[in-house]
């Protein structure tokens, strides 16, 4: 049987895997059913395996997806870079309007 984690412990695992989140986010995801959790006595507990399954779902379709080949990974990274460049350009325009 795997370990049951508190919301804060689950958040710490997510953060250690590079997912930017706060424990409030993890609680919200548990309430919404996005991450499997048990709710007993006003406390949420999350199975450690469910945390890692959630991570895999978040990574699916990204360059971090487990089991993809390097060519796919590079293609996805290039797409991600292009998207970030577009966002950066929009933010620079907004910033110039504020100055």
């Amino acid at each position: 049987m795997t370990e049951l984690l508190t919301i804060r412990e689950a958040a710490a695992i997510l953060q250690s895997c590079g997912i930017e989140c706060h424990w409030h986010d993890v609680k919200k995801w548990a309430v919404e059913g996005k991450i499997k959790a048990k709710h007993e006595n006003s406390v949420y507990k999350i199975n450690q395996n469910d945390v890692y399954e959630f991570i895999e779902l978040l990574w699916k379709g990204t360059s971090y997806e487990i089991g993809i080949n390097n060519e796919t990974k590079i293609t996805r990274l290039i797409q991600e870079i292009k998207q970030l460049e577009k966002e950066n350009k929009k933010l620079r325009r907004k910033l110039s309007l504020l100055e």
Side-chain angles (χ1 to χ4, degrees):
M1 186 166 162
T2 59
E3 184 180 352
L4 288 178
L5 306 170
T6 65
I7 294 288
R8 289 178 191 265
E9 291 168 332
I13 290 174
L14 292 166
Q15 291 164 356
S16 73
C17 291
I19 297 167
E20 293 183 26
C21 65
H22 190 271
W23 70 267
H24 291 109
D25 299 317
V26 179
K27 184 174 181 182
K28 179 181 175 226
W29 296 331
V31 170
E32 294 172 347
K34 292 181 179 178
I35 188 169
K36 294 179 194 170
K38 295 177 174 143
H39 188 235
E40 298 173 0
N41 301 324
S42 301
V43 175
Y44 283 93
K45 292 286 188 170
I46 302 173
N47 184 304
Q48 189 172 9
N49 287 341
D50 291 331
V51 174
Y52 289 109
E53 284 180 23
F54 181 73
I55 291 168
E56 285 186 38
L57 285 174
L58 288 177
W59 285 349
K60 191 163 183 74
T62 72
S63 58
Y64 301 105
E65 184 176 345
I66 296 168
I68 61 172
N69 63 34
N70 286 337
E71 185 178 337
T72 302
K73 193 176 288 192
I74 291 168
T75 300
R76 289 179 181 178
L77 283 169
I78 290 169
Q79 290 171 343
E80 195 175 319
I81 289 168
K82 287 178 181 178
Q83 183 60 37
L84 289 170
E85 287 172 342
K86 286 180 185 177
E87 288 178 38
N88 190 0
K89 191 174 182 178
K90 286 180 187 177
L91 290 171
R92 286 181 187 273
R93 269 192 246 126
K94 286 182 181 180
L95 181 62
S96 68
L97 293 173
L98 293 173
E99 294 176 334

